[in-house]
Amino acid sequence: MLRNRDYYANSAQLVPDGTYYLNNKYSGDYLKCESAKVSVVSGMLTSLGPPLYWLIRKVDGGYVIRSANDTSKYLAVPSDVNSAGVELVTITNGAIPARCKWTITNAAGIGSLIKNVYNSSYLYTYGSSLNTSRSLGASGSAQYISKGWRLVKTSTYGHTSSFTYCEMSAGTTIAAFSEAVGEKNLPTVKKQSSKEIWCAPSDFVYSGYSSAIISVDPLTGTITGKRAGATTVTATHKVTGRVVKFNVTINKLLIYQTERTYYYDENGNLPEDLQYGDMTKDEIRALDWINWANFVAFTPELHRTCWEDMCSVLFSTGDLQVVILDMIDHFMLGSGTPYSNTKLTAAAYRHESTQTYISLVQEQIARLMRLCNGDITDLTYVAERRDHNPLVASMKNKIDQPVFNNPSDKINGLTICVDSLWGNKIEVSSFTVSTNSFTCTLHYTLYDHFGLDRPDVEKYGCLPGFQSWYILQHYSEYCGRYLPFLTLMEFDVTFSGTLN
């Protein structure tokens, strides 16, 4: 493009040699060079494909416009001066005919006027074809609005002081964005300055990303999340070759959640088993299952010993005995942070009630996938519309979450560690679809509270260890030093199904 200070001047001597696009001022069309013809491509920057460049080179009294892809191809008017249109001619002997020579003059508010030396005709567009106009005529200025061409240098990115127009710097930034597994979104293309022309995600070629995490539609630029993770995408502008990198983060897709979330019940209240330091000595001693002796010469360490002895002797063996003592340590440290343990997770995962739960959930998801033609996002869980969630509806009153309280659980330690779950959620960590089948990895999160409420101790309050646990948690004089916490058990399960 011409410099602003030269806009109204004859610019034949001011256009530097270089690679350009010829952009029609009025229509936004681009002049395209192909192997055997010249054509006009509409739609601004959309759907352009190589070869697209024109090289501008100085010659005697003007310029030549030739293909950057094939240096033997030059733009010329027909040899018959009475013929309309332009031609792509091949120069083989080095002699450039006059009909390949042009001058470039700027006109106010219009663009660059490209005039042929041979017959003084002007280059313009008419529909999807290229033509030449013999002269401007008396009303030429008005007529020429649809005939002006601008030279846009391909090496110009962004608005600079040297150029008035910067169309080819379009799409200079693409914002990083996040989506979930199975979701389909277009990258957000942002202009760098108000002088840039808008372009679409389809104006870029995308590369460099992890094909395990996302897929990219080469025609539209649509990004589909395949697996939870993060990847960097390199976007190359089809016209300018400008490279922009942006990050895409794919999150797990939540498809199911119990009404009880991590810390709150179905009414949004914090349950008693997560409350602490909330009762005086008199309030605790007034409970039927608390002995006054629990406060005579008892220290927190004595309460802890009583609690640990009970769990070790009566309610745990083997690996889970180590786990329950570790959980007591976490409680006594008083951080209140969530707790997880690989041995506890393995025991919960292997449990027959968990395996039954997993199988029934997979059956329902496979059925729903057939109904929605493999679009996993149809199962997206939104708390405010919980009753309308397909998986929630299909599981309601049919599938119970795992429970760990059979006789062997009470002996090996799973019951004292977890007992019945407070809640659970299911997320999709990866999802792929082929023609008639799908493969899905579900991320299960089972959770419970390691804390006591009154119903808990009413069942087991005859045991001093439970009394000590309750006092450590709720006695106000301990100032909340010993905190209940959230226990998490997380695992992935992969399965496949058909869509017909």
Side-chain angles (χ1 to χ4, degrees), residues 104-253:
I104 302 170
T105 305
N106 226 320
I110 295 173
S112 301
L113 308 186
I114 301 175
K115 181 181 179 181
N116 187 258
V117 173
Y118 180 62
N119 62 5
S120 297
S121 62
Y122 289 87
L123 185 64
Y124 74 104
T125 61
Y126 181 77
S128 60
S129 61
L130 284 166
N131 289 272
T132 55
S133 172
R134 289 311 177 103
S135 62
L136 294 180
S139 59
S141 296
Q143 294 175 353
Y144 214 89
I145 289 178
S146 63
K147 303 168 188 175
W149 291 81
R150 290 184 292 188
L151 306 181
V152 185
K153 198 167 177 58
T154 61
S155 61
T156 304
Y157 303 123
H159 181 57
T160 69
S161 59
S162 300
F163 293 84
T164 303
Y165 296 103
C166 303
E167 291 90 346
M168 303 314 295
S169 60
T172 53
T173 61
I174 302 180
F177 70 95
S178 298
E179 61 182 32
V181 171
E183 290 183 348
K184 302 176 185 292
N185 283 301
L186 288 171
T188 302
V189 182
K190 295 183 178 180
K191 295 192 292 185
Q192 182 171 311
S193 75
S194 60
K195 290 184 177 293
E196 294 175 9
I197 206 161
W198 180 255
C199 69
S202 58
D203 294 319
F204 295 85
V205 175
Y206 301 91
S207 62
Y209 55 86
S210 170
S211 58
I213 296 175
I214 62 173
S215 63
V216 182
D217 187 317
L219 298 179
T220 65
T222 301
I223 293 176
T224 302
K226 296 171 62 178
R227 177 172 64 80
T231 186
T232 299
V233 181
T234 298
T236 304
H237 196 252
K238 293 178 182 177
V239 174
T240 65
R242 177 173 174 81
V243 174
V244 181
K245 292 187 177 182
F246 62 99
N247 298 320
V248 177
T249 301
I250 304 300
N251 303 305
K252 293 187 288 290
L253 176 70

Side-chain angles (χ1 to χ4, degrees), residues 266-467:
E266 55 271 24
N267 298 312
N269 300 317
L270 185 73
E272 185 188 355
D273 62 6
L274 283 179
Q275 296 174 23
Y276 55 89
D278 55 334
M279 298 178 70
T280 66
K281 180 189 295 184
D282 290 339
E283 289 173 327
I284 295 176
R285 289 179 63 178
L287 300 173
D288 293 339
W289 30 264
I290 293 292
N291 194 314
W292 67 270
N294 292 128
F295 294 94
V296 177
F298 259 86
T299 64
E301 280 306 314
L302 286 176
H303 281 306
R304 173 180 181 157
T305 299
C306 183
W307 181 15
E308 288 180 336
D309 289 345
M310 177 194 72
C311 291
S312 299
V313 174
L314 299 178
F315 295 114
S316 64
T317 59
D319 286 344
L320 291 180
Q321 184 174 96
V322 177
V323 172
I324 187 59
L325 294 177
D326 190 49
M327 295 177 80
I328 293 173
D329 285 344
H330 191 69
F331 182 97
M332 296 300 293
L333 286 172
S335 67
T337 57
Y339 175 88
S340 62
N341 186 293
T342 56
K343 293 179 180 179
L344 178 60
T345 296
Y349 172 74
R350 290 193 303 263
H351 198 274
E352 60 183 10
S353 67
T354 303
Q355 290 300 309
T356 298
Y357 182 75
I358 291 170
S359 296
L360 293 174
V361 167
Q362 289 176 181
E363 288 177 8
Q364 292 303 317
I365 292 177
R367 181 182 66 83
L368 293 169
M369 285 298 92
R370 289 190 288 272
L371 293 177
C372 64
N373 197 32
D375 188 351
I376 193 68
T377 59
D378 281 2
L379 306 190
T380 301
Y381 179 91
V382 179
E384 294 75 13
R385 301 196 300 273
R386 185 175 191 278
D387 292 339
H388 300 285
N389 178 268
L391 190 55
V392 170
S394 66
M395 291 172 60
K396 190 175 184 180
N397 301 322
K398 298 177 185 177
I399 304 177
D400 296 323
Q401 64 178 349
V403 177
F404 312 122
N405 59 9
N406 63 39
S408 63
D409 300 331
K410 294 175 182 178
I411 295 172
N412 65 29
L414 193 52
T415 298
I416 193 67
C417 291
V418 180
D419 192 13
S420 59
L421 294 173
W422 175 254
N424 77 91
K425 65 179 182 179
I426 305 171
E427 299 165 289
V428 180
S429 57
S430 70
F431 187 81
T432 55
V433 177
S434 61
T435 304
N436 293 311
S437 64
F438 69 90
T439 298
C440 180
T441 298
L442 298 178
H443 183 80
Y444 291 85
T445 303
L446 313 181
Y447 50 90
D448 193 25
H449 300 151
F450 193 73
L452 293 183
D453 56 19
R454 298 188 192 193
D456 289 330
V457 186
E458 285 173 355
K459 290 188 293 183
Y460 304 106
C462 61
L463 298 173
F466 277 100
Q467 296 168 9

Side-chain angles (χ1 to χ4, degrees), residues 10-52:
N10 184 312
S11 56
Q13 286 74 39
L14 297 175
V15 178
D17 288 354
T19 305
Y20 292 84
Y21 290 92
L22 304 185
N23 168 224
N24 188 266
K25 167 71 176 179
Y26 177 75
S27 67
D29 295 333
Y30 285 85
L31 186 59
K32 180 177 181 179
C33 170
E34 295 178 318
S35 59
K37 63 179 181 178
V38 177
S39 61
V40 172
V41 178
S42 300
M44 303 305 291
L45 304 182
T46 304
S47 303
L48 293 177
L52 302 171

Side-chain angles (χ1 to χ4, degrees), residues 87-101:
E87 295 179 347
L88 194 63
V89 301
T90 301
I91 306 299
T92 58
N93 58 8
I96 301 175
R99 63 193 188 96
C100 292
K101 297 177 183 180

Side-chain angles (χ1 to χ4, degrees), residues 48-91:
L48 293 177
L52 302 171
Y53 308 129
W54 293 93
L55 283 173
I56 307 296
R57 290 289 183 264
K58 295 178 182 178
V59 296
D60 297 337
Y63 297 89
V64 292
I65 302 174
R66 69 171 174 82
S67 167
N69 184 63
D70 184 346
T71 57
S72 68
K73 297 292 192 300
Y74 288 75
L75 188 66
V77 297
S79 56
D80 181 353
V81 296
N82 296 315
S83 299
V86 293
E87 295 179 347
L88 194 63
V89 301
T90 301
I91 306 299

